[in-house]
Amino acid sequence: MLTILSASKHFSFPLEDPVLKFLVILVIILFAPILLNKIKVPHLIGLIIAGAVIGPNGFNILPRDSSVVVIGTTGLLFIMFLAGLEIDLTEFKKNKWKSLGFGMFTFSIPLFFGILSGYYILGYSILVAVLFASLFSSHTLISYPLVSKLGISKNRAVNITVGGTMITDVLALMVLAVCVGMAQGEVTTTFWIRLGISILIFGSVVLFGFPIIARWFFKNVSDKVSHFIFVMVMIYLAALFAELAGIEAIIGAFLAGLALNKLIPHTSGLMNRIDFVGNAIFIPFFLISVGMIIDFNAFIKDFETIKVALIMTILGIGAKYLAAMATKKTFRLTDDEGNLMFGLSSASAAATLAAVMVGYNVIIGETENGEPIRLLNESVLNGSILLILVSCTVSSFVSQKSAKNIAEEENENSLSEGNDEEEKLMLAINYPETVEPMTNLALVTKSRKNTDQVYALNIINEEQDESSEKNAEKLLKTATEIAAAADLKLNVLKRHDSDIVNGINNEIKEHKITDLIIGVDNKKGFSSAFMYNLYNGYLNSESTNVLVYHSVQPVSTVEVYHALIPDNAHKESGFFKALLTIWNISRNSGAKIIFYAEENTLKMLENIQKKATVDAVFIPLSNWNELPEIANKMKTDEALILIMAKRGMKSYRPEMRHVPLYLDRNFKDKNYLLVYPAMVGKQEDSYGLHTRSFNNPDDFAEIGKLIGNIFR
């Protein structure tokens, strides 16, 4: 009998058992995408509707208690953090005025129409009308996960919208703070000084302090689980600092993403873990928690609620559409880009809900009957719920459609204008200390489309005590685990051979490898045996680019690369693939690159940068002997990249013979990468550059366009 009573209590509604509560939510998260994808409905809508059905205003299956709110809040912070983390900072700087323009459009247009409707149609006082209008001015990037999943998070429309979101949300929340302060009589000169100083201190701590802390942590702590927990701490710490500064927590999470942007490569295992956990657990929880707020009964209580709800919904969505179209016309964006901006910015959720709850809880007086007079009444509260539901639905559908169109167009351009050569990378793994650095280098140098053409090879030569079956298994397992964490399928190769160099070269021929990565052991450096194998072995594979890598710190913690390009390097058939390697390092790690080359090469690089943006500086290089002078200027957390050449190549310089010895003596405490371009091949023809002259400035624009398509 007790068992039956216990069971009935176990399954009574609303559910109180934590296991059952979590199980119900997980089942919704699991099946919502599966079922809704079949009818081509964004699963975000399904999660919101599911939250409304199971929530306290629906069938009351689950309460919207503190556990749901905490995990849901984490999901909201994750959305904003990912937006800051995935944004292309170089492109963001390039489009900063567009972001500012969009931010002002998407803030001022809804604010203007909101004030008019609140004051003239709903009869609010001017103070309440301004606060009412600020509800439409902010928006939440609720559809950002859809866009990110389609791989267009670096598109300029997304960058502009994300930047504009920060601007409009800060302004809207500032309006909220001022209106509430004025209603309570707290807006004084002291109020403005305190708010300005606190925001300045908060922004400085997050944007300048967090990167210093994070770089130290990633350099000194190798545990991968600790890396993820550290990121979570940074998100919540930034959110807390934002609240202490007097602004909303979501701004703190976004700035935390910007602060860690260059320290978490987009192709790294850590980025994959953050993205996975956020999209699998936290963000769906947030959407379900938003749905739990929705009360459909509120819309049939009285005509005033319906009237306010309709005005809020029409104005909120309509004004955001006008702002997106105004931005599209002003900056000459495409139709799909304009629609994507509207889709991303049309959803009202977190900031709107926070503002309306603050306004609802502010009591400015009492009626004759003793009932409280609220700054924002119950009709506005209920109207904001309809606005959230409708705007999130519109946002999901519009964002999904326009993002798919942009993704398809980018793929078509890449296929039609890119090169047909298949990229195949091989890691020649020998020393345990070099396995992780080499694998991480491969993750930032490979093209985005290369998900299964990376090889790890260990040559077993037990007679010379070079390796063993057991040692090979251990090294290759480590590389495989690192690659798998970043969703890269690593092809493992073991080969028994009496000659290591011949074994590697035979595997290169068999698998048609385009890029070979070799690690320099920190203890041995460029030993005579290593140099002999390099110049008389690895470089004999003339169709393969050879990368010699020395690492003393994680690739994600390098701030600046100094890249030296010798004269005539562009005449080598493998130069453009070598250049792509350098470009990818900057794009995927966010590091700045300082290029040193002769004038014509620099002009070509500048034109390439216009099509494939990276954070780069171009400095003329008159003599290869300037290497020591450049090395002396290098600071902590900076690395060196040298495009090298073998004797007989057009870009070969006699001084290159002394580079290994110089690096051994002066660069034991710094990262460096030597890139030896392939000597023969059809790269120039396949890229369509054989008819172009690098000595003719008129051809630079077209060369830049062609190379830009390769780097897409």
Side-chain angles (χ1 to χ4, degrees):
M1 186 68 176
L2 289 173
T3 304
I4 296 173
L5 289 173
S6 177
S8 63
K9 184 179 180 181
H10 204 65
F11 290 98
S12 61
F13 296 140
L15 297 174
E16 296 295 336
D17 183 83
V19 175
L20 270 177
K21 288 162 64 177
F22 204 74
L23 175 62
V24 170
I25 292 178
L26 287 180
V27 168
I28 293 172
I29 295 173
L30 173 63
F31 287 105
I34 297 174
L35 297 176
L36 293 172
N37 283 342
K38 292 184 177 180
I39 57 176
K40 297 183 178 180
V41 174
H43 69 275
L44 304 181
I45 299 304
L47 293 172
I48 293 174
I49 294 174
V53 171
I54 66 172
N57 298 315
F59 291 104
N60 198 27
I61 297 174
L62 292 181
R64 193 176 187 273
D65 56 14
S66 59
S67 62
V68 174
V69 172
V70 167
I71 302 178
T73 300
T74 304
L76 172 60
L77 297 180
F78 248 76
I79 290 176
M80 297 303 295
F81 176 74
L82 283 172
L85 191 63
E86 293 183 348
I87 195 172
D88 188 328
L89 287 180
T90 306
E91 195 71 24
F92 180 68
K93 292 175 184 176
K94 181 180 175 181
N95 293 313
K96 60 184 176 182
W97 298 115
K98 294 184 178 70
S99 292
L100 179 61
F102 173 68
M104 297 310 299
F105 277 136
T106 198
F107 171 75
S108 59
I109 293 177
L111 187 72
F112 174 74
F113 286 108
I115 292 174
L116 291 181
S117 61
Y119 187 76
Y120 290 105
I121 299 177
L122 298 176
Y124 297 148
S125 67
I126 188 64
L127 179 64
V128 176
V130 171
L131 180 57
F132 173 76
S134 72
L135 301 179
F136 323 131
S137 299
S138 65
H139 57 254
T140 302
L141 295 172
I142 203 166
S143 297
Y144 184 82
L146 285 175
V147 174
S148 178
K149 189 176 180 181
L150 289 170
I152 61 167
S153 59
K154 293 182 180 294
N155 180 272
R156 62 175 178 173
V158 179
N159 273 274
I160 292 170
T161 307
V162 170
T165 298
M166 180 178 65
I167 294 168
T168 189
D169 281 0
V170 168
L171 291 175
L173 294 170
M174 289 282 287
V175 169
L176 169 67
V178 172
C179 288
V180 171
M182 290 180 67
Q184 297 176 337
E186 296 178 355
V187 176
T188 61
T189 304
T190 305
F191 168 84
W192 288 109
I193 294 174
R194 184 174 65 250
L195 182 63
I197 293 175
S198 61
I199 291 176
L200 183 63
I201 294 174
F202 151 71
S204 300
V205 169
V206 174
L207 291 177
F208 300 106
F210 276 28
I212 296 173
I213 298 170
R215 182 169 282 105
W216 176 89
F217 188 87
F218 291 146
K219 286 172 67 174
N220 292 278
V221 178
S222 59
D223 182 64
K224 307 306 178 188
V225 175
S226 298
H227 286 181
F228 180 80
I229 300 301
F230 173 79
V231 170
M232 291 289 294
V233 170
M234 291 292 100
I235 295 173
Y236 266 98
L237 195 59
L240 175 62
F241 286 167
E243 291 182 337
L244 292 176
I247 56 178
E248 210 41 46
I250 55 175
I251 304 301
F254 177 76
L255 291 185
L258 290 179
L260 301 183
N261 185 287
K262 292 188 175 184
L263 291 164
I264 303 178
H266 299 156
T267 55
S268 66
L270 178 57
M271 182 67 192
N272 190 51
R273 294 184 194 98
I274 294 169
D275 191 59
F276 173 79
V277 174
N279 286 292
I281 301 294
F282 293 134
I283 294 174
F285 252 94
F286 165 66
L287 297 171
I288 291 173
S289 69
V290 169
M292 286 182 170
I293 301 170
I294 297 173
D295 183 6
F296 296 102
N297 294 324
F299 306 123
I300 58 175
K301 287 182 179 179
D302 55 62
F303 177 74
E304 183 66 18
T305 297
I306 298 174
K307 177 183 175 182
V308 172
L310 288 176
I311 290 175
M312 291 182 71
T313 304
I314 295 171
L315 277 180
I317 296 175
K320 290 295 182 182
Y321 178 78
L322 291 176
M325 293 304 105
T327 307
K328 185 192 82 170
K329 292 290 186 183
T330 302
F331 301 113
R332 299 179 181 179
L333 305 178
T334 66
D335 289 341
D336 283 324
E337 287 175 330
N339 291 333
L340 180 58
M341 293 177 68
F342 165 61
L344 285 170
S345 64
S346 59
S348 297
T352 299
L353 188 61
V356 76
M357 291 304 297
V358 169
Y360 181 76
N361 290 326
V362 173
I363 309 298
I364 57 176
E366 290 185 355
T367 63
E368 295 179 356
N369 299 327
E371 294 181 358
I373 300 176
R374 302 179 183 275
L375 190 59
L376 293 178
N377 59 35
E378 190 173 350
S379 296
V380 177
L381 175 64
N382 293 328
S384 66
I385 301 302
L386 180 65
L387 173 63
I388 290 171
L389 177 61
V390 176
S391 66
C392 288
T393 303
V394 172
S395 174
S396 298
F397 277 104
V398 174
S399 296
Q400 181 170 272
K401 183 179 179 181
S402 52
K404 279 185 176 179
N405 291 341
I406 291 174
E408 289 172 1
E409 183 180 354
E410 288 186 355
N411 289 336
E412 287 174 5
N413 290 339
S414 181
L415 289 172
S416 63
E417 298 174 346
N419 68 84
D420 297 325
E421 183 187 6
E422 186 176 21
E423 178 187 73
K424 291 186 177 182
L425 277 70
M426 177 180 284
L427 312 177
I429 292 175
N430 191 23
Y431 308 113
E433 297 80 9
T434 63
V435 174
E436 183 172 353
M438 288 171 63
T439 309
N440 286 328
L441 178 69
L443 292 176
V444 298
T445 57
K446 73 178 186 67
S447 66
R448 296 179 190 174
K449 293 184 179 181
N450 186 355
T451 58
D452 59 359
Q453 293 298 315
V454 179
Y455 298 79
L457 169 67
N458 182 261
I459 302 296
I460 300 172
N461 185 349
E462 295 181 347
E463 293 180 2
Q464 298 182 11
D465 197 28
E466 289 290 346
S467 186
S468 64
E469 189 79 32
K470 185 177 180 180
N471 183 58
E473 290 284 353
K474 182 180 178 181
L475 297 180
L476 294 172
K477 181 183 178 183
T478 302
T480 302
E481 290 174 348
I482 296 170
D487 274 348
L488 172 66
K489 179 185 176 183
L490 191 67
N491 300 286
V492 173
L493 301 173
K494 289 186 297 182
R495 183 185 181 97
H496 290 266
D497 205 300
S498 59
D499 189 302
I500 293 178
V501 174
N502 286 339
I504 292 175
N505 285 337
N506 287 333
E507 291 291 340
I508 288 175
K509 293 175 184 177
E510 182 177 342
H511 296 282
K512 299 179 180 178
I513 300 300
T514 61
D515 298 86
L516 173 67
I517 301 178
I518 306 168
V520 178
D521 183 61
N522 290 337
K523 297 177 181 178
K524 296 182 179 180
F526 285 99
S527 63
S528 57
F530 185 93
M531 293 300 296
Y532 179 84
N533 289 339
L534 177 64
Y535 283 101
N536 297 284
Y538 306 130
L539 295 180
N540 287 336
S541 180
E542 297 180 337
S543 61
T544 305
N545 291 314
V546 178
L547 283 67
V548 181
Y549 185 48
H550 174 264
S551 174
V552 294
Q553 68 182 90
V555 67
S556 62
T557 63
V558 175
E559 290 186 84
V560 179
Y561 286 93
H562 296 260
L564 276 69
I565 303 176
D567 293 356
N568 299 319
H570 64 270
K571 296 180 180 179
E572 309 295 354
S573 56
F575 171 74
F576 296 104
K577 184 64 177 69
L579 188 59
L580 174 58
T581 297
I582 300 173
W583 223 266
N584 279 341
I585 290 175
S586 179
R587 293 182 70 195
N588 293 325
S589 70
K592 179 180 180 179
I593 293 192
I594 302 176
F595 285 102
Y596 301 85
E598 54 89 21
E599 291 287 352
N600 283 337
T601 302
L602 291 181
K603 290 179 181 178
M604 177 195 68
L605 293 173
E606 289 172 354
N607 279 278
I608 292 173
Q609 188 193 28
K610 294 176 183 178
K611 297 297 295 182
T613 306
V614 295
D615 187 2
V617 175
F618 306 99
I619 299 177
L621 179 70
S622 58
N623 195 312
W624 190 257
N625 289 326
E626 292 180 22
L627 173 59
E629 183 181 340
I630 294 170
N632 290 333
K633 295 178 181 178
M634 292 176 60
K635 303 176 183 177
T636 306
D637 300 320
E638 296 187 353
L640 182 68
I641 298 177
L642 299 177
I643 292 188
M644 299 286 286
K646 186 182 176 183
R647 188 185 298 274
M649 296 174 68
K650 296 175 182 177
S651 57
Y652 176 75
R653 308 279 299 176
E655 299 93 322
M656 291 180 179
R657 292 177 299 175
H658 307 296
V659 166
L661 180 61
Y662 176 80
L663 295 176
D664 260 353
R665 289 178 176 174
N666 300 281
F667 274 76
K668 286 187 177 181
D669 61 340
K670 289 187 181 295
N671 284 23
Y672 58 78
L673 177 67
L674 307 184
V675 183
Y676 292 84
M679 291 180 64
V680 297
K682 298 180 179 180
Q683 284 92 334
E684 289 191 46
D685 289 345
S686 65
Y687 295 146
L689 293 168
H690 60 291
T691 61
R692 303 296 164 212
S693 170
F694 288 94
N695 294 316
N696 182 3
D698 293 335
D699 284 338
F700 287 150
E702 191 163 357
I703 292 171
K705 179 180 178 182
L706 291 167
I707 299 296
N709 289 327
I710 294 172
F711 294 165
R712 187 181 296 277

